């Protein structure tokens, strides 16, 4: 069944992400970002484009329902921060996946809300804990799931957010090969950190 589009959900998301007028500066010497320096994530689902998927995040648990009509993705994003990650090689994530689906993880290096998202894809294990290292050198510059050409360079001295996405799409209109379609999902985000 398809739920009706709720414009208030998009408004709530906008209010949350624009709440802190001044981004929090994270301590670059502390490699553990979540849980710790990043206190919370909030949903950023396809309601922002007229879809009706929805998700929630609480105490490391991210769950919701994907509806592929008019959308097909759920995401969670941190509030804005400032982080100098020049002393690190990449992100290290620990998650417990639901059904072994492929997720995207993104970071941004600017304050443009719809600016370039530096993105990786990784596969979770069904019902098991997955630990994955995502080298900065392998990040793909994207905008709205389309790769960006033109020699963009990730500015490690000014990372400003992180985000997880579960989507029916990979990059450039290609489908996510492990996406399970409409229905419920649940993923546990155990940690987000940096590695040297």
């Amino acid at each position: 069944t398809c739920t009706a589009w709720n414009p208030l959900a998009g408004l709530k998301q906008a209010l949350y992400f624009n709440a802190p007028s001044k981004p929090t500066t994270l301590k670059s010497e502390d490699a553990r970002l979540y849980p710790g320096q990043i206190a919370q994530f909030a949903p950023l689902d396809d309601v922002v484009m007229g879809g009706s998927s929805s998700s929630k995040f609480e105490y490391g648990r991210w769950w919701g329902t994907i509806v592929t009509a008019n959308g097909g993705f759920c995401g969670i994003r941190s509030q804005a921060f400032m982080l100098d990650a020049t002393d690190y090689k990449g992100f290290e994530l620990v998650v417990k996946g639901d059904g072994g689906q492929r997720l995207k993880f993104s970071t941004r290096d600017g304050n443009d809300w719809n600016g370039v998202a530096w993105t990786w894809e990784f596969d979770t294990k069904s019902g098991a804990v997955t630990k994955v290292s995502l080298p900065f050198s392998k990040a793909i510059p994207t905008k709205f799931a389309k790769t960006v050409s033109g020699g963009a360079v990730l500015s490690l001295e000014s990372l400003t957010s992180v985000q997880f996405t579960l989507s029916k799409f990979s990059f450039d209109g290609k489908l996510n090969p492990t996406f399970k379609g409409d229905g419920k999902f649940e993923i546990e985000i155990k940690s987000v950190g940096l590695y040297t």
Side-chain angles (χ1 to χ4, degrees), residues 120-162:
W120 300 259
E121 290 184 310
F122 68 96
D123 293 327
T124 62
K125 298 170 187 173
S126 183
V129 172
T130 300
K131 183 177 181 179
V132 61
S133 296
L134 306 175
F136 292 135
S137 61
K138 301 290 185 184
I140 299 170
T142 65
K143 261 191 165 188
F144 304 110
K146 294 180 181 177
T147 54
V148 174
S149 59
V153 177
L154 175 58
S155 299
L156 294 179
E157 67 275 10
S158 59
L159 301 187
T160 57
S161 68
V162 290

